[in-house]
Amino acid sequence: MSARRDMAALCRLMAHFGLDDITSTHLSVLVPERPGNYLLNPYGMMLAEVTPGDAVEVDADGKIVDPGNGWPLNKTAIVIHGAVHRARPEVGAAIHAHTHAGIAVGALPEGLLPISQWAMKFVERTAYHDYDGAARAGGLGEAIAQDLGANNLVMLLRNHGTLAVGDDAAGAFIRLYYLEQACKSQLMLGARGAGDLVMPPAEVRSRAGFEQNQGTLDHRRDFLAVGHREWPALLRLLDRTQPGWDA
């Protein structure tokens, strides 16, 4: 699948599952044949409208090298995604969303609690970034990338939203999706603190996080890269519900 088709799929899936924010959500996908370059979704289009040809390609400095169908770019997207891709070259795709559940859990002092199997995917792999306004200046993008760190998979930007990264589009999407499910389930408990909840033992949480993100190398586990079991099914969903999405 081409990077442009990956981008269109990400956009359409975000919209399908209600993870978009009119025109303010932004996503990036690396362009393998041009190292350092990445695609961004165009600014002003709703994610449900995006097709492969709409994606805008920029270089490592954020300069447009392929305007796609001529839509503009969100400066904040260039600042955040450019900084993330520079800091984490192994990241093939990144998604920054503004969802009710992600913003609400990010506003809790304790952040995301390991109270569901969804949440345990992110044990010791969740970063936090304190709110510092809209990231329209390069320094703010670098601060977000620094807080993301070298090994974290997701981030809660307090009072702002969420960020998920992956080796590819499939990995980034499935992490963003499951992070949202984890946040929703936590919010269903109301304003209870960690001391009022049943928590798995620390060793179980740590093992669960490793197994769900890395897999185990024995013959009893059918191991696929993160998101790759779900991705074909998600693409079939788009084919059924949004014919022509990749035209």
Side-chain angles (χ1 to χ4, degrees):
M1 179 181 284
S2 71
R4 286 185 169 276
R5 190 165 183 259
D6 278 342
M7 171 58 76
L10 281 181
C11 290
R12 297 300 185 104
L13 289 167
M14 291 287 289
H16 179 86
F17 288 101
L19 300 170
D20 53 342
D21 183 19
I22 308 182
T23 63
S24 296
T25 307
H26 37 88
L27 314 89
S28 61
V29 176
L30 286 187
V31 181
E33 57 270 28
R34 287 181 288 282
N37 287 16
Y38 57 96
L39 298 172
L40 291 168
N41 58 297
Y43 196 28
M45 294 187 76
M46 296 185 72
L47 297 188
E49 300 176 299
V50 176
T51 64
D54 294 316
V56 181
E57 183 177 341
V58 300
D59 64 17
D61 297 320
K63 296 178 181 177
I64 295 176
V65 296
D66 184 340
N69 286 327
W71 286 82
L73 284 179
N74 185 335
K75 185 175 181 180
T76 300
I78 298 174
V79 168
I80 293 178
H81 291 267
V84 168
H85 286 295
R86 286 191 297 272
R88 297 275 296 271
E90 83 283 5
V91 168
I95 305 172
H96 171 48
H98 311 126
T99 63
H100 292 103
I103 292 172
V105 170
L108 298 174
E110 62 268 32
L112 184 66
L113 296 174
I115 56 174
S116 67
Q117 286 200 126
W118 294 313
M120 281 187 279
K121 294 176 181 290
F122 309 114
V123 169
E124 299 177 0
R125 291 292 185 270
T126 303
Y128 294 86
H129 178 75
D130 290 337
Y131 188 68
D132 47 17
R136 295 193 178 93
L140 293 181
E142 300 301 334
I144 290 171
Q146 182 175 352
D147 285 345
L148 180 63
N151 299 307
N152 289 309
L153 307 173
V154 296
M155 171 182 274
L156 292 174
L157 291 86
R158 295 192 185 275
N159 316 108
H160 184 169
T162 55
L163 176 71
V165 298
D167 292 340
D168 52 23
F173 177 78
I174 210 65
R175 284 176 178 147
L176 193 286
Y177 175 85
Y178 286 136
L179 175 61
E180 180 71 4
Q181 304 314 301
C183 289
K184 285 181 178 178
S185 66
Q186 182 171 331
L187 293 175
M188 291 178 72
L189 293 165
R192 294 180 176 87
D196 300 322
L197 303 173
V198 174
M199 304 282 252
E203 64 273 17
V204 173
R205 300 199 300 262
S206 181
R207 184 174 69 248
F210 174 80
E211 289 180 350
Q212 293 193 66
N213 285 296
Q214 305 297 330
T216 56
L217 299 180
D218 66 49
H219 65 282
R220 292 169 297 177
R221 186 178 180 102
D222 180 17
F223 174 66
L224 290 175
V226 172
H228 281 225
R229 185 176 304 283
E230 299 93 338
W231 193 245
L234 290 167
L235 296 182
R236 293 194 298 273
L237 170 67
L238 292 180
D239 289 340
R240 288 195 307 274
T241 61
Q242 301 177 48
W245 67 271
D246 57 347

